[in-house]
Amino acid sequence: MIIKFKEGTKQQEIELLRSALINKGFAIHESIGATTTIFGVIGDTTKFDMDSLYAYDFVDNVLRVQEPYKKVNRKFQPADTIVYVRDVAIGGKNVVIIGGPCAVESKAQMDIITPLVKASGAKILRAGAYKPRTSPYSFQGFGEEGLDILKYVSEKYDIPVVSEVMSVEDLAYFVDKVDLLQVGTRNMQNFSLLKELGKLDKPVLLKRGLANTIEEWLMSAEYILAGGNKNVILCERGIRTFETSTRNTLDISSIPVLKKLTHLPVIVDPSHAAGRWEYIEALSRAAIAAGADGLIIEVHPEPENALSDGQQSLKPERFDALVKQCRRIAEAVDRTID
Ligand code: PEP
Ligand code: MN
């Protein structure tokens, strides 16, 4: 951290801040210029609120030179983290495909779609039981009954499941029913939920908030790791921009940026980014080419009759074709899709 004093700062003010920082355990490297003095602050500043320094009226500027996150930082762990969802490894050479409907709608629907996505190459089944809908009048999901259906298909077809947990109160029921706990975009900064997830050892799929920076997203992941749970997978699902021709804008650049900043695996959700089924295949290919460790894609047996997100859901045969396409892209970038 670098602190620049305002011109004309008195020596006693410089000394005041020096002793305050030394008391907090930092060492100071001072540089005295013709008109201003600069402090280089040496030490772990991750737990220090640097903006608080602006409370001193003689402080002109404070610059961070170290990232505010530690446990998710690649500088502290250079090797990639591999997260296991049952026996499915996410973050290794294999690109993992996750498929399934937006929501659990019935046992019959899940009995149709689960074997189909599995046969196409999905290693994990997705489906929401609690749906965070913009309108309170839209389908809200079947809650516990939906989770029971997920558990049933997971055992019947031998496939791990991922589903979104929206609140701390529901967590206990989720733990026995799903293999991967999804934190949705609207809950990325639900810090009470993140703290509870940090106490578990179950893997967490942390989606990017719809208007959050990569640094804010990594700080949310840091909450989970700080609690002791290292099993976090990041999911880029598109962000809010001025563009209206897609539901969100898929931030492809977040993949290489995250790969530089963190050791955590990164997957991409082209469905919620595009918001239209026509664009899913191109975005999936782009995500794999850019280095994503997996894809999570909405697939529905009858998108026209889906209770949520039918417009962005692939029919099973389109999903099957997409996985075939993606295998070719994966090979081209020296990855595999099992
Ligand atoms: C979902 O995966 O169904 C979902 C609601 O995603 P997001 O939180 O990214 O909108
Ligand atoms: Mn959806």
Side-chain angles (χ1 to χ4, degrees):
M1 179 170 65
I2 292 165
I3 302 167
K4 180 169 164 275
F5 291 89
K6 286 181 183 163
E7 273 183 46
T9 300
K10 298 189 189 80
Q11 191 58 35
Q12 72 199 64
E13 292 170 325
I14 293 176
E15 294 314 321
L16 176 77
L17 188 54
R18 191 198 310 275
S19 51
L21 291 166
I22 288 172
N23 281 341
K24 289 193 189 312
F26 298 115
I28 308 292
H29 183 277
E30 186 176 1
S31 141
I32 302 168
T35 51
T36 55
T37 297
I38 286 172
F39 273 2
V41 182
I42 300 150
D44 180 7
T45 53
T46 43
K47 290 183 183 146
F48 184 74
D49 177 10
M50 65 177 212
D51 284 337
S52 68
L53 293 171
Y54 287 108
Y56 292 97
D57 53 14
F58 49 83
V59 167
D60 190 26
N61 214 348
V62 185
L63 287 174
R64 193 180 272 291
V65 288
Q66 196 183 34
E67 295 83 8
Y69 44 86
K70 193 169 187 178
K71 292 185 189 299
V72 304
N73 198 326
R74 202 184 266 288
K75 286 182 190 152
F76 291 87
Q77 183 195 307
D80 286 339
T81 285
I82 296 183
V83 174
Y84 284 88
V85 180
R86 279 208 247 156
D87 59 350
V88 180
I90 304 188
K93 185 171 167 134
N94 201 44
V95 175
V96 174
I97 308 291
I98 303 172
C102 181
V104 180
E105 297 173 2
S106 67
K107 207 171 188 177
Q109 169 228 25
M110 294 307 296
D111 256 326
I112 295 170
I113 203 68
T114 308
L116 289 175
V117 293
K118 185 175 172 176
S120 296
K123 291 284 177 284
I124 300 174
L125 174 71
R126 66 144 289 148
Y130 293 81
K131 296 308 302 175
R133 306 304 297 280
T134 301
S135 165
Y137 309 115
S138 301
F139 172 62
Q140 301 287 308
F142 287 125
E144 289 186 3
E145 193 189 330
L147 292 180
D148 291 340
I149 295 174
L150 270 180
K151 179 83 177 164
Y152 153 81
V153 283
S154 171
E155 283 172 359
K156 182 169 174 185
Y157 301 100
D158 188 26
I159 184 166
V161 292
V162 54
S163 198
E164 174 170 354
V165 57
M166 282 168 53
S167 74
V168 174
E169 299 91 81
D170 302 327
L171 249 184
Y173 204 78
F174 267 81
V175 170
D176 295 334
K177 307 286 173 181
V178 312
D179 304 283
L180 175 59
L181 296 159
Q182 177 174 323
V183 177
T185 196
R186 294 156 191 84
N187 266 317
M188 189 203 85
Q189 287 187 317
N190 179 341
F191 299 117
S192 324
L193 181 61
L194 300 178
K195 281 182 192 169
E196 287 305 312
L197 293 168
K199 294 178 191 164
L200 307 175
D201 59 6
K202 228 176 219 311
V204 176
L205 182 68
L206 180 65
K207 288 192 144 193
R208 180 178 186 174
L210 67 169
N212 283 107
T213 63
I214 290 173
E215 186 169 290
E216 287 164 341
W217 187 11
L218 289 172
M219 291 305 283
S220 289
E222 185 81 12
Y223 261 86
I224 303 172
L225 271 81
N229 187 353
K230 293 177 165 176
N231 303 305
V232 176
I233 301 157
L234 300 167
C235 177
E236 166 63 50
R237 48 79 70 202
I239 48 173
R240 198 50 83 78
T241 69
F242 51 81
E243 183 53 65
T244 54
S245 45
T246 48
R247 183 175 177 181
N248 292 287
T249 297
L250 181 62
D251 184 9
I252 282 284
S253 48
S254 76
I255 305 165
V257 172
L258 287 166
K259 286 285 164 194
K260 177 179 173 185
L261 299 177
T262 182
H263 50 83
L264 296 175
V266 182
I267 73 164
V268 167
D269 175 348
S271 307
H272 290 88
R276 289 283 181 274
W277 64 265
E278 294 110 302
Y279 308 136
I280 310 295
E281 189 176 300
L283 295 181
S284 300
R285 290 194 303 241
I288 295 175
D293 298 303
L295 297 172
I296 178 165
I297 294 172
E298 288 186 335
V299 193
H300 194 285
E302 289 178 340
E304 305 85 348
N305 297 317
L307 295 182
S308 64
D309 286 348
Q311 74 287 352
Q312 66 193 32
S313 299
L314 295 179
K315 290 182 175 160
E317 56 273 22
R318 289 205 172 101
F319 177 67
D320 193 70
L322 174 144
V323 177
K324 287 193 172 81
Q325 279 281 315
C326 287
R327 278 187 214 284
R328 297 174 59 201
I329 304 293
E331 272 167 38
V333 292
D334 204 23
R335 306 285 293 264
T336 50
I337 294 180
D338 283 351

